[in-house]
Structure formats: C-alpha cells, structure tokens
Amino acid sequence: MLACDKLTTRSRLAPMTHPRTLASSVASRSLSSLARFLILRPPTGALLATARTKMSDPSSENQERDQLESIFKQKKILRTKVRRALKSMDPLQRSQEDETIQSLVLDAPWFKSSQRLCAYISCSALREVDTSKIISRILQNSSKDGHIQMKKKLYVPRVEDKNSHMRMLNISSVNDMIANSMDILEPAALDADGNEREDVMQADDPVDLFLLPGLAFDESGRRLGRGGGYYDTFLRNYQELAHARSWKQPLLVALSYCPQIVDEGVIPVTPDDIPVDALVSPSGVIPISPAALDRMKI
C-alpha cells in the first residue's frame, strides 16, 4: 500500500517548482500517462489482430483463458486485502477523510464548471467514500459571492439485473431515491408523476464528469472494482456513445481513502477494465490522463 504522506509531499512541492520546470514535468507526465493509457486501452487494431490469432491458434486461446483466470484470482486476493484494510480503518479517520475528499471535489474548478454529472450514491456498509455532501451540492441552486451558479444536472446509478446491467438516471431531489434489496439508495424508475426518468444514454447533451467508486486504485489510473463489472460495462458503453456522437469524453474521477491506493503494477488488468483520468484522495487531486492534466491545470 502507498502511504498518503508520499502524495502529500508531492503536492506540497509542486507550488515551489519553477514554471519552466513545472511545464516540463507536466509534459513528461502527460507523455508517460498517455503511454500507460495506451497500455491499459490497447488500440482496436491490436485487439482485432489478437482475436484473429486466437481463432487460428487454439493453444493461444487456452493460454489467454489461463491468463484471465490468473488475473481474476489475483483480483480476488487483492479485494480481500483492501476490504480488510477498510474494515480496520478508525471511524474518526474515515470521517476525516470523507470530509477532506468531498471538500477537495467541491472546491475544484473542474467540478464547479461541470454542468452534467454522473455520480455514485455512497453506501456506508460497503465502506465507500461518502458523497452525500457532493450530491446535496449538485442538487441545490447555490450562490457564492453574489454569483448564482448554473444548476447542475445529475444522473445516479440504478442496477437493473445481475448481468452487469446498470443505468444512470436523472434525479432532481434526494427524495427521488429509494432503497433497493441491499439497502443501497437508487433512483426510482418512475418519477412522482409516473413518467420514466431520463436515462443518460438517451440524453441530448454529453456528461462532463463521472465520480466513481472502487476498491483499489493506483497512480497510473488502474481501478479495481468489486467484481460485478457494472461500472466498466457502463463506462465502455458511454464512451462508445460519446465517440459516435462526436462528444468530448467525460472526465472519469475516482474517490479513494488512503488504504485503497496501492503501488503501480499491483492491480492486474484486462482489456475490459476502464482506467480513470484522475484520483482524489485525502492528500489531494492526482491528475493521470492527458485530459485530466489539461482540465485540472496542475
């Protein structure tokens, strides 16, 4: 596990860096981030070539299956370790980290400028980073320094079945949510008037920002979910939709407690795993992808 003080030290040093040195550092990080993203997201042509090889070589297909089984076992082991670390967190520390992470998001220019967002509704039983203050801020018309901010449009997840099928539906109030069979708050499929809620996949305008949960993360953008594949499936479908409509891809930002941040290379990945663009921990905001480096202006 990475210690959060390592990230804190880096954020403290950044403001003292000479502008030219900082610019070079950002450019270098942008290139390295791009390289890592190309590794995490293999080009379509490469995937097609791999698929053709598998079709003509049964041994290659068996090898791929064995590799995937090994990755799934590694993920299971890592999930167990992270769950134990989260369970052992001191309640006071967890509360403090919740407060810090939410404040970092709420104060961030990239959050304030986002008009359409998808965000998860935190579940304390799952020990997810709390999002209640963020959700409340999005749902209210806020004013600051006499300037009325534009009301944001919010979509939150609703799990439809056990086959990784999840939708993001629009809500305008916390009263639009009900507890599901696992006691997790979700949007009701119909509003108070009996009308279907707007599905983000049918919306006329693109989403600017996704706030994502997860079990483990690293500074290369790798994300380990809980094993259901709901977010990876949904994000892949939305990215394909944005590409088809020539929309700018949304910024994928994950929220993480300190014990959830692991060393690079610890999280095993498959071609189906979607990396995040940035990570918010109690130590600060960590831009990862070139898009995040640009929008977050470090």
Side-chain angles (χ1 to χ4, degrees):
M1 297 292 176
L2 283 179
C4 275
D5 56 359
K6 174 184 177 183
L7 305 179
T8 305
T9 300
R10 189 178 70 179
S11 64
R12 286 175 180 170
L13 291 177
M16 298 172 63
T17 307
H18 189 277
R20 290 184 181 177
T21 305
L22 179 58
S24 299
S25 174
V26 170
S28 176
R29 286 192 58 198
S30 179
L31 289 173
S32 60
S33 297
L34 179 58
R36 288 196 295 264
F37 262 55
L38 289 175
I39 293 173
L40 290 171
R41 293 175 174 160
T44 303
L47 290 177
L48 290 175
T50 302
R52 293 191 187 100
T53 301
K54 292 176 188 174
M55 292 175 64
S56 60
D57 186 357
S59 63
S60 175
E61 184 176 350
N62 291 335
Q63 184 179 7
E64 177 68 16
R65 184 172 60 249
D66 291 342
Q67 290 175 344
L68 287 176
E69 288 180 358
S70 176
I71 288 175
F72 293 147
K73 288 180 181 178
Q74 293 174 51
K75 286 187 174 185
K76 185 176 181 180
I77 293 171
L78 182 56
R79 286 190 181 101
T80 299
K81 290 181 179 178
V82 176
R83 285 193 177 103
R84 287 175 180 169
L86 288 173
K87 188 175 181 180
S88 65
M89 277 186 75
D90 179 83
L92 178 58
Q93 177 192 353
R94 181 178 167 187
S95 177
Q96 291 173 338
E97 292 195 12
D98 279 331
E99 187 72 25
T100 300
I101 292 168
Q102 291 189 95
S103 294
L104 285 168
V105 173
L106 292 172
D107 292 339
W110 47 266
F111 170 80
K112 294 179 180 179
S113 63
S114 297
Q115 297 179 21
R116 290 168 294 278
L117 308 88
C118 289
Y120 71 96
I121 305 298
S122 56
C123 175
S124 59
L126 295 178
R127 296 180 175 84
E128 294 174 327
V129 173
D130 187 20
T131 57
S132 59
K133 290 185 178 180
I134 297 173
I135 297 299
S136 296
R137 179 73 62 87
I138 295 172
L139 291 175
Q140 69 184 15
N141 276 315
S142 59
S143 60
K144 187 174 182 181
D145 298 330
H147 298 287
I148 303 297
Q149 297 180 358
M150 182 178 295
K151 187 172 178 63
K152 301 179 185 296
K153 192 167 189 178
L154 176 64
Y155 300 87
V156 296
R158 176 183 171 87
V159 173
E160 297 294 345
D161 54 43
K162 295 182 179 180
N163 298 315
S164 303
H165 181 204
M166 180 179 76
R167 293 194 294 162
M168 288 276 183
L169 305 181
N170 175 236
I171 64 170
S172 56
S173 167
V174 293
N175 296 325
D176 293 339
M177 294 182 289
I178 56 176
N180 63 14
S181 58
M182 296 181 64
D183 204 29
I184 298 175
L185 289 176
E186 299 184 318
L190 305 178
D191 63 20
D193 298 322
N195 300 315
E196 289 190 6
R197 296 189 184 281
E198 183 183 61
D199 188 319
V200 73
M201 297 297 288
Q202 275 79 54
D204 294 327
D205 300 300
V207 169
D208 305 306
L209 174 66
F210 276 79
L211 295 179
L212 305 171
L215 261 182
F217 311 91
D218 69 16
E219 291 188 66
S220 292
R222 290 179 174 86
R223 171 187 172 273
L224 178 69
R226 296 181 179 275
Y230 290 96
Y231 276 92
D232 286 319
T233 300
F234 180 85
L235 291 172
R236 182 167 56 254
N237 290 338
Y238 190 85
Q239 288 175 339
E240 291 174 357
L241 173 69
H243 177 73
R245 296 190 179 182
S246 298
W247 287 343
K248 185 176 182 179
Q249 291 289 344
L251 200 65
L252 309 182
V253 179
L255 310 185
S256 172
Y257 292 122
C258 282
Q260 294 178 276
I261 302 176
V262 301
D263 291 324
E264 291 188 29
V266 171
I267 300 176
V269 295
T270 71
D272 291 330
D273 294 324
I274 304 296
V276 299
D277 294 301
L279 183 62
V280 182
S281 80
S283 298
V285 180
I286 307 170
I288 299 169
S289 72
L293 287 165
D294 178 61
R295 284 188 60 179
M296 295 180 175
K297 305 294 184 183
I298 65 166

